[in-house]
Amino acid sequence: MTTNAAVLNRRSFLASSAAVAGGFSLGFGVPFSRAEAQTGVQEINAWVVVHPDDKVVIRIARSEMGQGTLTGLAQLVAEELECDWAKVTTEYPTPGQNLARNRVWGNFSTGGSQGIRQSNLYVRQGGATAREMLIQAAAKEWNVPAAECSAANSVITHKGTGKTTTYGKVAAAAAKIEPPKDVKLKDAKDWKIAGKGLKRLDTRDKLTGAQIYGIDLKLPGMLTATIRDTPVNGGTLKSFDAAKVEKMPGVKKVVAIDNRAVAVIANSYWQARTALAALPVEWDPGPGGKVSSSDIAAMLAEGLNATQAFVGNQAGDAKGAIEKAAKKIEAVYSYPYQNHATMEPMNCTALWTADKCEAWGPTQNGEAALAATAEAAGHPVNKCEFHKTLLGGGFGRRGRSDYVRQAVLIAKEMPGTPIKLIWSREEDMTHCTFHPIMACKLTGGLDASGNIAGLHVRLSGQSILAGLLPQNLQNGMDPVVFQGFNNGGTESAYGYNIDNLLVDHAMRNSHVLPGFWRGVNTNQNAIFMECFMDELAEAAGQDPLEFRRKILKPRHRRVLEAAVEKAGWGKAPPGVFQGLAQIMGYGSYVAGVADVSVSEQGQLKIHRIVAATDCGHAVNPAQIERQIAGSFVYGLSAALYGECTVKDGAIEQTNFDTYNVMRMDEMPKVECVIVPSGDFWGGVGEPTIAVAAPAVLNAIYRATGKRIRTLPVMNHDLRKA
């Protein structure tokens, strides 16, 4: 059972107790080294800590936000370690410790379904190295060759004499052994812990309420703040009248932040929120204040026919082939702004003094959060620390550290006092980094035999990199826009063999800040391509499955065929209609088949979605199934309801009354087919989101005769055409 809560409480206690005495603790060097010396707890290496009672603590650098990475990575370490899984717990190292130890834990960033696929090698090596050190310690004690010893279930055995010992008994000696430079990793076919559908390590604490999230953190003497940022991105804070609220109950201070926000610090969140609501504030919205959704839509429409565009994938002469084709088909699709809508709003606790700063909170990138802490604090990084908690949802939103910066700047206003910043739900909903808005014009040409002669996909819309990471643009182009359309590669390759193809992007950025939203650009790109593929199949007079089979690349076809076989394509009961979709995203090949019905009154019911995935290695099959089901909740919520609109520069949807999500009674039955090829490491958390919407949209068309080309579905009348 995971001990994240205990780790956080102990660190919080050390930090806050010292703060009361006029300073606070920064845990650099080996985590918990003093405690280890006193209790016999031993760090074997950076990944593995062994207790005298054989409990094994596995350190996880990636963030846990409900996706199961914590358990999956622990399984990989434990597999190579050959430890007793029943005695495994986990803890987070801090980014400050990572820097102090030459980044021994590697990358702390968690997004793009990269947690396991990017760190699997070195975490397995960490487990294998610790195992060999423990075996060598036992062999040395017995005065026998280490090659004659083996380990299993935290017990080391000497083959010749039958002697045994446990990890806890030899841990102290093992910690002093020079780590071997080269260790052999297991073949996946020999896995006993990895590859199995084991229960997650963090479930019980969540169910019992023992789990501590950032918003739950309590420190002695802590105050609470809440903030109101400019309603229009790019706007500024013009003025506010602090005198109107300074004497309200519990209020300690009213402060301006970055010339664009104002915060109230009080004894409690409710006191801070009440005062902030009563605070007179004037804003200068800037030029963005004149922009509304219709203006943005017009800008994107212009981009669909612009002469200049960035080319993401090109083969042959698409425009020429379309011009000569026997039949030409054209359609325009669009995808709206969408909110991350995490259940836990943005929050961070900070404690600042003149020479140090420490912060606690949920983040998808601990090192970025540490950098934001140091920058806002005005201190060197080695005088700052960030302690990561479990996340109450992330979906890409917590990869950005704007709320961390705000918390530290607020804490600087009251040195030596820990202050927890909590965003209101309204603040969280209107100051998201939104899923980018995008329009797409698809033009296809069919030859006389109904084969695709040429295809042009024109994307028009925002670039996340231009908004957040302009240094990552490639000669002005955003390569991330083309997820699912790439010409080969191991990340998000286009799945169809089309001789004459052109995929390009007319970048059109508004003042609304875009961000990495779970699944990012595979979401809309799968809708554009897979729905239009159905349109092409219909124009050719062919079954959409057979139409795809002729041109799909082998791995893409294999996973689609697994999905349709499980779903019983073409065998739906009367009144139920099927749709399908496929894509490659985040290193994995995925496909989905949806069964839907639509009543005479236009009421949609999604009965079932079957999903197939080839993610290479399946570390925890049960967790993959849960991830697929969870991704469908997210993807279908977006397709059915997700839309953020702009009026006078500001986002109009401020809470869940205007930004709806799926309810339990709307959720379809989800069936999963895992077809692991075992020769690569693909992602799991995001790929299948992309196939949910197009599979459902294609099924809706078959049920109603209506093509839905603009989302969300709630804006359309589904009564039969």
Side-chain angles (χ1 to χ4, degrees), residues 556-574:
H556 297 257
R557 185 172 63 247
R558 175 174 177 256
V559 76
L560 179 60
E561 289 177 340
V564 298
E565 181 181 355
K566 178 75 171 178
W569 178 256
K571 301 175 184 177

Side-chain angles (χ1 to χ4, degrees), residues 441-452:
K441 182 168 75 173
L442 302 104
T443 310
L446 297 175
D447 64 20
S449 300
N451 300 311
I452 298 177

Side-chain angles (χ1 to χ4, degrees), residues 586-635:
Y586 303 94
S588 293
Y589 303 84
V590 297
V593 178
D595 292 357
V596 314
S597 63
V598 180
S599 71
E600 290 185 2
Q601 294 75 34
Q603 183 66 40
L604 171 67
K605 182 170 179 59
I606 308 170
H607 299 271
R608 176 180 69 152
I609 298 187
V610 174
T613 180
D614 179 2
C615 55
H617 290 286
V619 174
N620 187 319
Q623 184 56 29
I624 292 173
E625 293 182 2
R626 298 182 194 114
Q627 278 281 61
I628 290 172
S631 75
F632 283 166
V633 177
Y634 211 67

Side-chain angles (χ1 to χ4, degrees), residues 17 541 689:
S17 298
I689 297 178

Side-chain angles (χ1 to χ4, degrees), residues 304-519:
L304 292 177
N305 299 300
T307 56
Q308 297 296 318
F310 295 106
V311 175
N313 191 357
Q314 185 172 20
D317 178 11
K319 291 183 179 180
I322 294 169
E323 188 67 29
K324 298 173 185 175
K327 184 182 287 188
K328 179 180 175 181
I329 302 93
E330 185 172 287
V332 174
Y333 284 76
S334 64
Y335 197 87
Y337 287 118
Q338 291 178 333
N339 203 303
H340 293 85
T342 64
M343 287 294 98
E344 179 192 25
M346 300 303 110
N347 68 89
C348 181
T349 300
L351 177 60
W352 186 92
T353 65
D355 58 350
K356 296 176 182 177
C357 186
E358 195 163 15
W360 298 257
T363 177
Q364 288 180 240
N365 191 336
E367 290 181 304
L370 175 61
T373 298
E375 188 275 332
H379 296 326
V381 174
N382 64 1
K383 293 294 184 180
C384 298
E385 184 59 288
F386 190 91
H387 301 286
K388 183 171 60 179
T389 65
L390 262 71
L391 287 62
F395 316 126
R397 174 60 182 93
R398 286 189 162 100
R400 189 166 179 252
S401 301
D402 50 338
Y403 57 99
V404 176
R405 172 182 169 79
Q406 288 179 347
V408 173
L409 291 175
I410 292 169
K412 286 178 73 174
E413 297 288 336
M414 299 187 71
T417 300
I419 297 176
K420 181 197 293 183
L421 169 66
I422 302 175
W423 284 18
S424 67
R425 175 62 62 190
E426 291 74 17
E427 187 73 12
D428 195 273
M429 296 292 283
T430 55
H431 293 83
C432 187
T433 49
F434 299 88
H435 189 296
I437 194 168
M438 191 71 67
C440 180
K441 182 168 75 173
L442 302 104
T443 310
L446 297 175
D447 64 20
S449 300
N451 300 311
I452 298 177
L455 176 65
H456 180 197
V457 180
R458 163 57 63 87
L459 301 166
S460 175
Q462 283 192 282
S463 158
I464 298 173
L465 294 187
L468 297 183
L469 299 165
Q471 68 274 19
N472 290 352
L473 293 172
Q474 297 179 4
N475 296 319
M477 183 181 81
D478 182 351
V480 182
V481 165
F482 299 101
Q483 286 180 302
F485 284 122
N486 290 334
N487 181 19
T490 59
E491 180 66 23
S492 52
Y494 189 56
Y496 297 105
N497 289 307
I498 298 176
D499 292 336
N500 299 293
L501 173 70
L502 174 61
V503 184
D504 54 14
H505 173 224
M507 189 184 296
R508 297 295 184 268
N509 294 314
S510 79
H511 73 290
V512 177
L513 191 63
F516 295 99
W517 189 99
R518 188 180 182 190

Side-chain angles (χ1 to χ4, degrees), residues 72-147:
L73 287 172
Q75 283 180 258
L76 291 174
V77 175
E79 178 64 57
E80 298 293 344
L81 181 60
E82 291 283 6
C83 67
D84 182 352
W85 179 253
K87 293 185 177 181
V88 167
T89 63
T90 62
E91 68 188 22
Y92 289 137
T94 69
Q97 293 158 356
N98 197 38
L99 292 177
R101 298 177 67 171
N102 296 317
R103 300 192 75 238
V104 65
W105 288 285
N107 194 343
F108 272 52
S109 177
T110 310
S113 299
Q114 294 174 349
I116 287 177
R117 64 188 176 118
Q118 282 198 348
S119 55
N120 70 85
L121 177 60
Y122 57 80
V123 302
R124 287 185 292 148
Q125 289 172 336
T129 299
R131 179 196 70 227
E132 292 304 306
M133 293 166 70
L134 289 159
I135 288 174
Q136 287 182 34
K140 187 175 181 180
E141 180 180 317
W142 295 329
N143 197 25
V144 298

